[in-house]
Amino acid sequence: MNFYKQAADILDRLGKKEGSIKGLTLGNAEVTDKKRMYAVICETLKHNTTLSLVLHESKLLSLEKKLTRSLALLLLHDFLLQTRGIQASDAWPMKQAVMRHKARLKAEFVKAKIKVGAKKDGLIEGEDELLLPRYVRVNLLMKTPQQVIDAFIADGWTFLPEPPSPPAPPPANTFHLDEHLDFMLVFPPKSDLHLHPLYVSGVLILQDKASCFPAAILAPPKNAYVIDGCAAPGNKTSQLAMGMGNGGKIIACDLDLRRLNILKRLTTKAGCTNITALNTSFLTLDTTTPDNSKVSHILLDPSCSGSGIINRLDHLVDAYAEEQEQATILETTTTGGAAERAAAEEKKKERLKSLGEFQVECVSKAMTFPNVRKISYSTCSIYAEENEHVVTTLLKKHWPTWKLTPRAKVLPTWHRRGYPSEVCDIPGLVSTDEDRAKIADCVVRAVPGGPEGDLMNGFFVACFERVGKSSLPGLTPVWKGSSIGGSKRTHEEVDEMDETTTVSAATDGTSPSKKKKNKKKKKKTTTNGGDAGDSASGTAGASKECRVEDDETPDGDE
């Protein structure tokens, strides 16, 4: 396929949100000259505002009917901004279509730069790549953060004992530990570490900070059975394995075989040995199989709009898609496109609604696993339809069996939480502004970019916990106060008691109800003058079970 036609097809797909820049260029097997393709797509998107203005004012698409908008933008980019011009035969009709109007196009380019306030070559302030820090996760399966810090200091880097204040990317040739995640290092923007020996060997993993939140919040214990329901390409999966010290078992599911093979390669490089990769949909898993019935923790990062992703020029795709849609409307209607724009907005709402329903389906499926205790749900979206609305829908469907994990266990030091105004009423749980604020405080948000943002991609995380059966009769929201057995207890205390009973029952083959009966019987015997030694032994045994449960519990998220 002609290079420019292939590039135009990629631009069209980006405009339809059918992939990322890197995925459609560097990760596209059909693209032969990947680096050139990546460069021309990135540069065309960077200069899109100016090039689109030239295209509109010159009326090129009206004069040359065979040119498509995407192809015209690419050819204009090379003609106006590249010293070598359009790299194609002079006999190619599409090149001729542009060159017939070269004088007019050059004149419009000069005017367009003045009109948009271009600083150089048609590139206006704000169109350049957003400069976010380079986040690097230290793979604790191989080295400690201090070992990595020492290695970079030996390479000539300067280690900063504290992050910059106010928050900003670190200066050139400096780095620091992240203030929220103790396994993450923060480097200056555009730091290229791909050839560094520690990256090549799997010690360093290049992963956005926000992407590390879900596994850090889920924090399964070492010997847990865990499912990563939408796992590829595998950074979160390898982070789970790291946190578990390669103990227990992780079942990683993904429908896309190509992406699943990437997961296998990346997790092998990271030294992960407890992962079983399945080329299947999480929604089709049988919850009754021996392995799945042992699952206690599930991480879900399902398909979403991706509206929070801004790193590595992907933020330009949204602007390009919106501008292309508006331009198409104006070029194909005589009424100014008001009705068409309304239809496009409605289409966007329908897409978000569809995504939200799918996300609710995924988490609801996770809640059907018989022994699952904790579920993290995350998106890289900025839209409430995929975030707070999904959470409140799930609470409506599954509370009081499931509840939100409180802030104390969900990155408590992270400053940005959910939006109370987007929390819907839930009968018996949420009815006042105070209730909405409490729900919002349980979840985590990250605002994309900077300086008003959080210097990372946009993200959202919520964590759900199964409520112990013994606490169901008196269940009310923690902030409304719960009275059980005549004294107030938090649900966390009740749940820990219930989970300990359940775990100990599972290990010796007796049901929780039988345990309770046996305890009552033992208590009665002791009261009637039975062997006091048995009673003391029983108390010691119970205390030991609690300690084991504390060692295994994932509650130490903070």
Side-chain angles (χ1 to χ4, degrees):
M1 182 188 288
N2 176 285
F3 176 85
Y4 287 106
K5 287 185 177 179
Q6 190 174 37
D9 178 62
I10 290 172
L11 273 185
D12 286 338
R13 292 182 65 185
L14 287 171
K16 296 174 184 175
K17 302 288 188 68
E18 292 181 359
S20 67
I21 297 173
K22 277 196 171 181
L24 294 175
T25 55
L26 301 178
N28 190 342
E30 296 178 359
V31 175
T32 52
D33 194 344
K34 299 181 188 298
K35 288 187 177 179
R36 181 188 172 200
M37 183 65 76
Y38 177 71
V40 75
I41 292 294
C42 288
E43 291 303 310
T44 300
L45 289 174
K46 279 184 180 181
H47 298 84
N48 176 54
T49 300
T50 307
L51 294 174
S52 293
L53 188 57
V54 172
L55 194 61
H56 176 71
E57 295 298 329
S58 67
K59 297 181 171 52
L60 184 62
L61 295 180
S62 300
L63 297 170
E64 301 291 345
K65 301 293 187 184
K66 291 184 179 180
L67 277 176
T68 65
R69 179 177 177 81
S70 296
L71 181 57
L73 287 172
L74 290 159
L75 295 175
L76 283 179
H77 172 270
D78 279 11
F79 169 58
L80 297 170
L81 294 165
Q82 298 296 306
T83 54
R84 293 181 299 175
I86 298 172
Q87 298 297 293
S89 168
D90 290 341
W92 185 39
M94 298 299 103
K95 181 176 180 179
Q96 292 176 352
V98 172
M99 300 309 291
R100 274 194 289 268
H101 309 277
K102 60 182 181 180
R104 173 75 184 275
L105 292 170
K106 285 183 177 180
E108 293 297 345
F109 182 53
V110 172
K111 290 191 286 185
K113 286 197 292 183
I114 296 171
K115 189 170 184 178
V116 301
K119 300 174 77 175
K120 59 174 184 176
D121 296 336
L123 183 66
I124 65 172
E125 189 172 2
E127 278 189 313
D128 205 354
E129 182 175 4
L130 292 180
L131 298 180
L132 300 184
R134 164 63 77 185
Y135 294 101
V136 178
R137 174 162 64 85
V138 177
N139 183 1
L140 302 180
L141 294 174
M142 296 185 175
K143 287 188 182 296
T144 66
Q146 189 58 53
Q147 288 173 317
V148 173
I149 289 170
D150 292 342
F152 274 98
I153 292 174
D155 286 345
W157 289 77
T158 299
F159 178 71
L160 304 177
E162 298 290 338
S165 182
N173 207 45
T174 69
F175 71 110
H176 61 82
L177 265 174
D178 183 76
E179 60 182 313
H180 301 101
L181 303 173
D182 58 8
F183 50 75
M184 177 152 281
L185 299 175
V186 186
F187 288 82
K190 297 187 177 181
S191 297
D192 190 355
L193 302 174
H194 289 87
L195 298 180
H196 195 283
L198 291 177
Y199 172 78
V200 174
S201 63
V203 174
L204 302 182
I205 294 171
L206 307 182
Q207 184 175 356
D208 187 66
K209 177 176 176 176
S211 175
C212 294
F213 285 177
I217 289 169
L218 186 65
K222 181 174 182 178
N223 296 317
Y225 271 62
V226 182
I227 290 178
D228 187 347
C230 313
N235 278 344
K236 296 181 187 69
T237 319
S238 67
Q239 186 185 341
L240 286 170
M242 179 187 81
M244 296 165 66
N246 266 337
K249 182 171 184 177
I250 299 172
I251 302 166
C253 306
D254 206 281
L255 261 179
D256 189 323
L257 182 58
R258 181 186 67 83
R259 284 165 54 83
L260 194 70
N261 285 332
I262 294 174
L263 176 145
K264 291 178 182 178
R265 176 170 58 82
L266 292 180
T267 54
T268 299
K269 176 185 173 184
C272 304
T273 58
N274 61 344
I275 298 170
T276 299
L278 299 180
N279 183 209
T280 189
S281 167
F282 169 74
L283 293 173
T284 65
L285 289 182
D286 181 356
T287 63
T288 63
T289 64
D291 273 358
N292 291 346
S293 62
K294 297 176 187 175
V295 169
S296 60
H297 295 71
I298 297 178
L299 187 148
L300 288 175
D301 189 58
S303 297
C304 70
S305 64
S307 50
I309 300 293
I310 61 169
N311 220 351
R312 297 176 185 85
L313 294 173
D314 281 355
H315 66 290
L316 295 176
V317 175
D318 284 340
Y320 174 74
E322 185 175 344
E323 189 167 322
Q324 176 150 311
E325 185 174 43
Q326 296 301 320
T328 302
I329 289 171
L330 291 173
E331 289 162 9
T332 56
T333 65
T334 57
T335 61
E340 289 79 4
R341 281 194 291 272
E345 185 63 27
E346 188 61 32
K347 184 178 178 182
K348 175 184 171 183
K349 289 180 181 178
E350 284 299 315
R351 179 169 178 263
L352 290 176
K353 181 173 180 287
S354 177
L355 284 168
E357 289 171 349
F358 169 71
Q359 291 150 358
V360 168
E361 183 182 8
C362 287
V363 182
S364 294
K365 167 73 176 184
M367 291 175 174
T368 65
F369 283 75
N371 286 305
V372 68
R373 291 162 45 199
K374 202 171 183 183
I375 301 164
S376 73
Y377 165 71
S378 58
T379 73
C380 50
S381 170
I382 62 173
Y383 297 123
E385 290 88 339
E386 301 175 90
N387 298 333
E388 288 89 353
H389 293 188
V390 167
V391 167
T392 49
T393 298
L394 286 163
L395 288 174
K396 282 181 181 179
K397 288 167 64 76
H398 300 288
W399 184 79
T401 307
W402 289 86
K403 66 173 183 178
L404 280 175
T405 303
R407 175 173 180 155
K409 302 178 184 180
V410 182
L411 293 179
T413 61
W414 181 251
H415 64 290
R416 203 179 299 275
R417 315 307 287 192
Y419 299 150
S421 61
E422 298 293 351
V423 175
C424 309
D425 284 358
I426 303 173
L429 183 65
V430 178
S431 59
T432 67
D433 289 344
E434 182 184 2
D435 293 344
R436 279 181 276 276
K438 293 290 186 180
I439 289 286
D441 198 46
C442 292
V443 304
V444 165
R445 264 188 177 270
V447 171
E452 299 301 322
D454 295 315
L455 296 176
M456 63 184 79
N457 288 321
F459 223 78
F460 176 89
V461 190
C463 190
F464 295 90
E465 289 182 356
R466 189 189 293 274
V467 176
K469 291 180 181 178
S470 64
S471 63
L472 286 178
L475 183 67
T476 56
V478 172
W479 59 89
K480 293 190 175 182
S482 102
S483 180
I484 301 174
S487 63
K488 287 191 176 182
R489 284 192 182 128
T490 66
H491 290 310
E492 286 68 39
E493 292 171 327
V494 175
D495 293 346
E496 284 174 9
M497 292 167 59
D498 185 72
E499 285 169 359
T500 304
T501 303
T502 304
V503 170
S504 61
T507 55
D508 66 12
T510 60
S511 68
S513 58
K514 278 188 177 180
K515 280 277 191 183
K516 289 174 183 174
K517 288 179 181 176
N518 290 341
K519 283 182 180 179
K520 285 181 181 177
K521 201 172 185 180
K522 197 174 284 186
K523 185 177 180 182
K524 187 175 180 182
T525 305
T526 305
T527 305
N528 291 337
D531 189 351
D534 289 343
S535 177
S537 174
T539 304
S543 176
K544 185 177 180 181
E545 286 172 1
C546 285
R547 284 199 297 273
V548 171
E549 180 64 11
D550 287 343
D551 289 341
E552 294 180 349
T553 186
D555 292 345
D557 294 330
E558 64 269 31

